[in-house]
Amino acid sequence: CLPSPAAMRMTALLLAAISAQVLAFQPRAWAPAPAAASRVRSYRRPPVCPPVSMGMLDKMNPFKKKSGKSELDRVLDEGFKNAGPLGALAKPLIKGVASMVGDAMKETAADMDTLTDQTVRAIRMNSQASDLLGSSIACGAPFSTMSSSSNMNGVVTKNMQLQMPVQGSHGSGTVAVRATAGNGAMTIQSCVVSA
């Protein structure tokens, strides 16, 4: 089925008209319009800020994609692989709870490490404990821990108690320490060394 001669002539004329318009088009050089004396304004360039490292803010960004799957995510994905539709609904809930618990455990472990370091420092600074244990004082892994946290009007306060072995050049024993952490500072309430 071929087009009629009249349709072909019409198409040819239309294409010729379009190509003539395209070839005749000459872009104009842009030049600013002359401004009247009353309308002339001077603008200052806005200051250019140097790139800033986001540091802590970048770590807290909830929209930033994480660099990879954690071990917990991989285990949960494997566990819910063939769980069906109910498992697919429960998986995000369980992942959220597990991630919050994991973050809380990491934070508590960091607080316990800080408390252990401060306990060693407190024992070294106490003359009675230094006489009892000697020099080169070091604490072992805690064998008893307790930690609680309270939030009053947005102020988070943590109470921690540790019992751990302590050893020095003259002897060894145990230390029981109780501390409070809040507003970025940790304060030892009591530290009892028994040999």
Side-chain angles (χ1 to χ4, degrees):
C1 163
L2 295 173
S4 67
M8 289 179 63
R9 270 193 305 266
M10 185 70 106
T11 304
L13 287 173
L14 186 60
L15 286 174
I18 291 173
S19 61
Q21 288 290 328
V22 169
L23 292 176
F25 177 74
Q26 297 270 332
R28 294 188 307 180
W30 182 84
S38 64
R39 299 169 91 193
V40 174
R41 295 181 186 171
S42 65
Y43 294 100
R44 289 187 308 168
R45 291 181 82 189
V48 177
C49 296
V52 176
S53 170
M54 295 304 284
M56 186 60 141
L57 292 178
D58 194 40
K59 292 177 186 174
M60 296 187 314
N61 184 358
F63 303 107
K64 182 180 177 185
K65 286 191 174 184
K66 295 187 177 172
S67 61
K69 284 190 172 184
S70 68
E71 184 66 27
L72 177 67
D73 285 342
R74 284 191 289 273
V75 168
L76 287 174
D77 287 342
E78 186 65 31
F80 281 97
K81 191 181 237 180
N82 298 320
L86 189 58
L89 290 173
K91 183 170 93 172
L93 177 68
I94 292 172
K95 267 189 173 182
V97 170
S99 117
M100 284 190 296
V101 168
D103 291 344
M105 289 176 68
K106 284 180 189 173
E107 186 176 331
T108 301
D111 289 340
M112 295 295 180
D113 288 344
T114 302
L115 181 55
T116 302
D117 293 342
Q118 286 192 2
T119 301
V120 170
R121 196 172 309 125
I123 293 171
R124 287 179 182 160
M125 291 174 58
N126 186 301
S127 61
Q128 292 175 335
S130 296
D131 290 344
L132 182 67
L133 297 171
S135 60
S136 302
I137 297 170
C139 287
F143 56 81
S144 175
T145 64
M146 193 283 295
S147 175
S148 66
S149 178
S150 64
N151 187 338
M152 299 289 283
N153 297 328
V155 178
V156 177
T157 305
K158 299 176 187 175
N159 296 310
M160 293 171 282
Q161 293 180 9
L162 291 178
Q163 288 183 346
M164 57 193 144
V166 63
Q167 186 168 358
S169 60
H170 294 301
S172 62
T174 59
V175 61
V177 63
R178 191 169 45 96
T180 304
N183 295 331
M186 187 173 294
T187 306
I188 294 180
Q189 304 297 324
S190 69
C191 180
V192 178
V193 177
S194 51

